[in-house]
Amino acid sequence: INAEYMGVQVHVLKCVRPIELSDCVLGQYVKAADGSGEAYLDDPTVPKGSRTATFASLVLWIDNDRWQGVPFIMKAGKATNERKAEVRIQFKSELLPFKEEARRDELVLRVQPQEAIYLKLMTKLPGLTPLGQLTQTELDLSYRTRYQNLHLPDAYEGLIFDVLGGHQGNFVRTDELLAAWTIFTPLLHAIEGDPKLVPIPYPYGSRGPPEADELARRVGFRYESGYTWAASPLL
C-alpha cells in the first residue's frame, strides 16, 4: 500500500460525522437465564457497580459524495454467542421480480476464524421449478479449503513477516491514528461524563443487547435468521 492510498484512508476518516449517543448502544454481560456463565460484575477484579461496557454497537456516517447516507455499523463484545471478526456488506433489497420473497444479498469478508470470502445470494431453484421458488446459497472462497497445501499465517505472524520485509501497508500511519482518535475521543468523554448512562445488561452467550439489533434495523440493516454459513469441507 503506497503513501497516496494511505492518504486517502486519512481523508475518509476526516469525513466521518461526530458520533451521537443516539447512534450508540452499550452493554454489559450478566449470567444467562439458566445460570450459566459468569456476570462481568462477579469478577473479583472488577470494582463493584462498574459501568464499564463489555459490548458496544455504533453507527458511523461518512459525509462525502461516495458514502453519503450509507451507515457503517461497528460492533464488538465479550461473552457473546460467537467469536469472529468479519466485514459484512449488505446490499439493498431487490425490487423486482421477487420483492419481499428475496432476502438481501451479502458479501462477507471473514478474517477469523476460518478465513473466507463468500457472497450470500438468492437464486431460483434449478430445474423445472416455478419462478418464485427461491433458495439462499453462496459463492464461497474458504482459504483453508482452496489452499490446503499452503501455510496460512496467523495475524501477528503475518505482521512480523511484514516488519522483517520492511512493508508498512498493514500498519497505521500516525496521522491516520490521530484521525481515528479524533472520531472516538469525544464519544468516550461523553460516556464517561454521564453518570446516568449505564450499560444495558445482556445474557452471557447471547447476541448482545436487543437494542443493538434495533439500532441496526433503524439505519436500514436487515438481520435475517434461518441461514448459517458453513465452511466448505475439505475435498
Side-chain angles (χ1 to χ4, degrees), residues 21-25 59 61 212-221:
L21 282 175
S22 59
D23 282 338
C24 180
V25 172
V59 181
W61 301 95
D213 289 335
E214 180 56 36
L215 172 64
R217 280 192 292 269
R218 178 164 59 83
V219 298
F221 183 85

Side-chain angles (χ1 to χ4, degrees), residues 129-157:
T129 56
L131 179 62
Q133 199 163 347
L134 305 177
T135 185
Q136 195 168 34
T137 186
E138 74 278 331
L139 300 176
D140 184 4
L141 170 59
S142 296
Y143 278 39
R144 294 192 184 279
T145 302
R146 180 64 179 85
Y147 305 110
Q148 297 180 34
N149 298 323
L150 294 179
H151 172 67
L152 299 177
D154 293 330
Y156 288 106
E157 188 178 355

Side-chain angles (χ1 to χ4, degrees), residues 9 23 27 47 56 63 68 88 103 111 145 154 179 194 201 207-208 220 222-223:
Q9 291 178 305
D23 282 338
D63 289 333
Q68 186 74 33
R88 182 176 296 265
R103 297 184 178 184
V111 180
T145 302
D154 293 330
D194 187 353
R207 283 176 42 82
R222 182 188 295 175
Y223 174 72

Side-chain angles (χ1 to χ4, degrees), residues 91-231:
F91 298 96
K92 292 182 178 180
S93 300
E94 181 179 353
L95 297 179
L96 296 173
F98 305 114
K99 299 183 180 180
E100 294 300 323
E101 296 180 23
R103 297 184 178 184
R104 290 183 176 180
D105 296 339
E106 292 183 343
L107 176 63
V108 182
L109 290 75
R110 176 167 290 219
V111 180
Q112 64 173 354
Q114 299 177 323
E115 299 94 327
I117 301 173
Y118 63 95
L119 177 63
K120 196 168 72 173
L121 71 164
M122 298 297 298
T123 181
K124 174 185 172 295
L125 280 174
L128 302 177
T129 56
L131 179 62
Q133 199 163 347
L134 305 177
T135 185
Q136 195 168 34
T137 186
E138 74 278 331
L139 300 176
D140 184 4
L141 170 59
S142 296
Y143 278 39
R144 294 192 184 279
T145 302
R146 180 64 179 85
Y147 305 110
Q148 297 180 34
N149 298 323
L150 294 179
H151 172 67
L152 299 177
D154 293 330
Y156 288 106
E157 188 178 355
L159 289 177
I160 293 173
F161 182 79
D162 286 345
V163 169
L164 296 176
H167 304 300
Q168 302 180 15
N170 287 324
F171 295 87
V172 179
R173 213 167 60 180
T174 302
D175 55 347
E176 183 178 350
L177 184 64
L178 291 174
W181 276 110
T182 300
I183 297 170
F184 287 99
T185 298
L187 175 65
L188 294 174
H189 287 169
I191 293 172
E192 293 175 356
D194 187 353
K196 297 181 180 179
L197 188 59
V198 179
I200 301 168
Y202 64 94
Y204 186 99
S206 67
R207 283 176 42 82
E211 287 82 353
D213 289 335
E214 180 56 36
L215 172 64
R217 280 192 292 269
R218 178 164 59 83
V219 298
F221 183 85
R222 182 188 295 175
Y223 174 72
E224 295 170 327
S225 59
Y227 174 89
T228 303
W229 173 78

Side-chain angles (χ1 to χ4, degrees), residues 24-95:
C24 180
V25 172
L26 302 176
Q28 187 183 91
Y29 65 87
V30 297
K31 285 186 177 182
D34 61 2
S36 62
E38 181 184 63
Y40 177 73
L41 294 179
D42 289 341
D43 189 325
T45 64
V46 174
K48 185 177 180 179
S50 172
R51 296 190 299 120
T52 299
T54 59
F55 177 98
S57 180
L58 56 88
V59 181
L60 296 179
W61 301 95
I62 301 177
D63 289 333
N64 64 11
D65 290 340
R66 172 168 292 183
W67 300 113
Q68 186 74 33
V70 178
F72 287 77
I73 304 170
M74 301 181 66
K75 183 166 67 172
K78 295 182 177 180
T80 56
N81 61 331
E82 289 185 281
R83 181 185 178 275
K84 63 182 180 181
E86 67 181 22
V87 177
R88 182 176 296 265
I89 303 169
Q90 186 175 89
F91 298 96
K92 292 182 178 180
S93 300
E94 181 179 353
L95 297 179

